[in-house]
């Protein structure tokens, strides 16, 4: 019998920990330990949203979770914007992380922010600039089929997803990722890309051929929309188990 793995699953911008509701039970059913926290400003912490909440806040959220629960040998998964978050976490507690898994995620280098990684982010910031609260970035709108809401297309799933979404602080996209700890570079990385129905105008930065540790990059593809944890939970869980 294999030893259980500890997974920390980090949601992307605008979402909360409930986005993993279909994945976490599939992992725990295999005997693994799973944490699905909501970042500050989301879920049970939605009331804490403010202009001061940024990328550093969210990285600290996950570091605090890891230390409070004395977690070790973690598979740390970041979806979308949370690629920025898990990169910052790895910089702080590299010795506690066995693998970083980027799920259709932003992948920064040291000093880059979300705008650097995905310039389209600046368009959203500019769109909010003239509002009464320009620091609040609303969720992306639903796109016509087949793109849907964050790639979710089933009407019941879209209705549920809407109940979980909240605004994001602009500082989350403006603060740079801190990745200057040499130890973080040695952590193996895996990338899962959601392919097949990307909205027009959304471009993805190519995955480097080599990981920071010098090993060839490990890239998997899922034929689904951006929120694979909602649209393809079984297939995603299989990849998480395969890459533990």
């Amino acid at each position: 019998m294999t030893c259980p793995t500890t997974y920390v699953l980090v949601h992307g911008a605008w979402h909360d920990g409930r986005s993993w509701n279909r994945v976490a039970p599939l992992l725990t059913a295999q005997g693994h330990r799973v944490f699905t926290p909501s970042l500050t400003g989301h879920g049970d912490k939605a009331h804490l949203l403010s202009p001061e909440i940024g990328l550093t806040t969210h990285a600290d959220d996950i570091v605090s979770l890891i230390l409070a629960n004395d977690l070790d040998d973690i598979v740390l998964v970041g979806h979308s914007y949370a690629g920025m978050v898990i990169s910052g976490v790895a910089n702080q507690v590299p010795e506690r992380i066995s693998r970083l898994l980027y799920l259709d995620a932003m992948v920064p280098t040291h000093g880059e922010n979300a705008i650097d990684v995905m310039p389209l982010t600046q368009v959203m910031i500019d769109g909010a600039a003239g509002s009464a609260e320009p620091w609040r970035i609303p969720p992306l709108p639903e796109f016509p089929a087949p793109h849907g809401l964050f790639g979710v297309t089933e009407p019941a799933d879209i209705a549920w997803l809407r109940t979980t979404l909240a605004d994001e602080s602009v500082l989350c996209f403006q603060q740079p990722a801190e990745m200057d700890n040499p130890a973080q570079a040695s952590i193996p990385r895996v990338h899962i890309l959601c392919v097949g129905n990307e909205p027009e105008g959304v471009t993805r930065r190519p995955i480097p051929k080599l990981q920071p540790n010098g090993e060839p990059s490990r890239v998997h593809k899922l034929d689904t929309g951006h929120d694979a944890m909602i649209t393809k939970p079984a297939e995603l869980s299989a990849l998480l188990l395969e890459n533990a």
Side-chain angles (χ1 to χ4, degrees):
M1 181 177 178
T2 57
C3 295
T5 297
T6 297
Y7 290 90
V8 177
L9 311 179
V10 187
H11 64 81
W14 304 294
H15 293 60
D16 66 26
R18 289 174 289 178
S19 62
W20 303 102
N21 279 2
R22 294 177 178 176
V23 171
L26 299 178
L27 300 177
T28 56
Q30 298 295 317
H32 303 294
R33 193 179 188 191
V34 183
F35 293 82
T36 60
S38 290
L39 299 172
T40 298
H42 301 278
D44 59 342
K45 303 175 185 174
H47 62 288
L48 299 175
L49 184 65
S50 75
E52 290 73 37
I53 301 302
L55 176 60
T56 299
T57 313
H58 289 161
D60 288 346
D61 285 341
I62 303 305
V63 171
S64 295
L65 172 78
I66 290 170
L67 297 179
N69 291 277
D70 196 21
L71 306 183
D72 208 356
D73 203 25
I74 302 162
V75 175
L76 183 58
V77 181
H79 175 240
S80 195
Y81 155 76
M84 306 288 296
V85 178
I86 66 171
S87 297
V89 174
N91 202 62
Q92 293 190 54
V93 288
E95 71 283 355
R96 291 179 177 264
I97 301 168
S98 64
R99 193 172 306 279
L100 292 170
L101 200 152
Y102 292 85
L103 172 59
D104 218 34
M106 298 181 178
V107 185
T109 58
H110 176 61
E112 287 189 317
N113 63 17
I115 302 165
D116 297 319
V117 178
M118 184 172 285
L120 179 65
T121 307
Q122 184 64 53
V123 176
M124 294 181 278
I125 295 172
D126 293 342
S131 68
E133 294 181 295
W135 61 270
R136 300 177 72 109
I137 311 299
L140 291 173
E142 181 180 347
F143 290 92
H147 307 305
L149 183 63
F150 293 101
V152 177
T153 55
E154 289 293 329
D157 290 343
I158 290 175
W160 173 81
L161 178 57
R162 286 189 189 281
T163 69
T164 72
L165 299 178
D167 293 349
E168 200 71 59
S169 168
V170 68
L171 193 59
C172 296
F173 302 137
Q174 293 175 330
Q175 278 190 327
E178 296 183 8
M179 302 176 64
D180 54 354
N181 183 346
Q184 59 82 27
S186 66
I187 302 172
R189 285 141 163 90
V190 178
H191 303 269
I192 299 177
L193 305 181
C194 299
V195 300
N197 66 347
E198 299 90 338
E200 186 176 349
V202 176
T203 56
R204 191 198 314 270
R205 173 185 283 186
I207 302 299
K209 292 184 178 181
L210 294 178
Q211 301 179 42
N213 65 4
E215 297 177 0
S217 291
R218 298 175 60 180
V219 181
H220 302 271
K221 294 182 179 181
L222 274 179
D223 186 11
T224 191
H226 184 56
D227 280 5
M229 69 286 293
I230 297 172
T231 58
K232 290 286 182 76
E235 294 85 346
L236 175 57
S237 298
L239 284 175
L240 297 183
L241 293 168
E242 176 186 335
N243 288 281

